[in-house]
Amino acid sequence: MPITIAIDGYSSTGKSTMARQLARELNYRYIDTGAMYRGVTLWAIRQGLFEKKLDVAGLIESLSELRLNFKYDRDQGQSVLFLNDEMVENEIRSSKVADRVSEVATISEVRRFLVEQQQAMAKDGAVVMDGRDIGSVVLPDADLKIFMTADPEIRAQRRFEELQSKGMPETLSAVRQNLKMRDEMDTSRADSPLVQVEDAKVLDNSEINPQEQLKLALSWVREIEGH
Ligand code: DC
């Protein structure tokens, strides 16, 4: 029987690598909820809502005009985000979005707007979803919950290399600072902060490679399937 897998954790701990690996291995759908918060942030920037400080009321009001979808892209071999029918997968990874997304993610109306869509996407199971509040809020009944963590310096280095390889160079210290700021905002916000729920399996991948982490996660999946 297909199960539902929730993956939460700090930024740049390899949640999406893990989620993609599992989805491919199990033939499940992968839903990247961080991409959806990034999509709302890009929308807010484009609407000019970040001129001085974020116009929260304006953003909430404009949500009804915003449509987010994932579609499979042959060239990239994965599903990518569309904002009102425009492919924005690359733009949502830029630092102009990364620097502002945590603030957007504190807005309860934005969270409600996205959580509702995320729950609808997962209702038939066979899904791997990653984010910050998946095991706690979006899918509290998920069959397997994984909480990912890693040493902050290793995370910064990985993120730095990832941005370089995508042709979006940033200094290591800027990456470090952005991660620190996001950790603080993600864990301290009032609505749906990042928490390690009691029934989550903790995966610290500071010292293990993607193959080893996949093996470990698959052993947890098999355990659940065996019950
Ligand atoms: O996973 P990511 O780095 O793409 O997420 C971008 C931001 O969105 C991150 O700073 C926290 C926020 N986020 C959230 O609040 N809840 C989620 N379920 C996913 C992401």
Side-chain angles (χ1 to χ4, degrees), residues 122-141:
K123 74 175 187 336
D124 297 327
V127 84
V128 186
M129 189 177 280
D130 77 350
R132 304 294 187 291
D133 58 343
I134 311 305
S136 56
V137 175
V138 183
L139 305 174
D141 298 327

Side-chain angles (χ1 to χ4, degrees), residues 72-168:
Y72 187 76
D73 180 271
R74 262 174 214 280
D75 295 340
Q76 301 201 32
Q78 62 186 45
S79 60
V80 296
L81 189 74
F82 280 72
L83 192 168
N84 291 353
D85 300 322
E86 178 194 346
M87 203 278 274
V88 292
E89 185 63 30
N90 300 326
E91 211 176 337
I92 58 168
R93 309 288 162 194
S94 66
S95 56
K96 81 173 179 211
V97 172
D99 288 343
R100 295 174 169 90
V101 61
S102 292
E103 189 181 351
V104 169
T106 61
I107 304 169
S108 294
E109 285 82 354
V110 169
R111 302 202 71 85
R112 264 204 301 277
F113 173 74
L114 294 181
V115 168
E116 202 174 288
Q117 297 177 40
Q118 290 154 6
Q119 288 173 334
M121 290 175 188
K123 74 175 187 336
D124 297 327
V127 84
V128 186
M129 189 177 280
D130 77 350
R132 304 294 187 291
D133 58 343
I134 311 305
S136 56
V137 175
V138 183
L139 305 174
D141 298 327
D143 302 289
L144 172 61
K145 298 179 184 176
I146 301 175
F147 186 86
M148 296 192 55
T149 180
D151 179 86
E153 194 49 39
I154 293 176
R155 289 159 53 203
Q157 189 65 39
R158 284 182 188 155
R159 178 88 187 121
F160 172 69
E161 284 164 18
E162 185 193 343
L163 285 172
Q164 279 205 320
S165 72
K166 286 183 176 161
M168 299 175 177

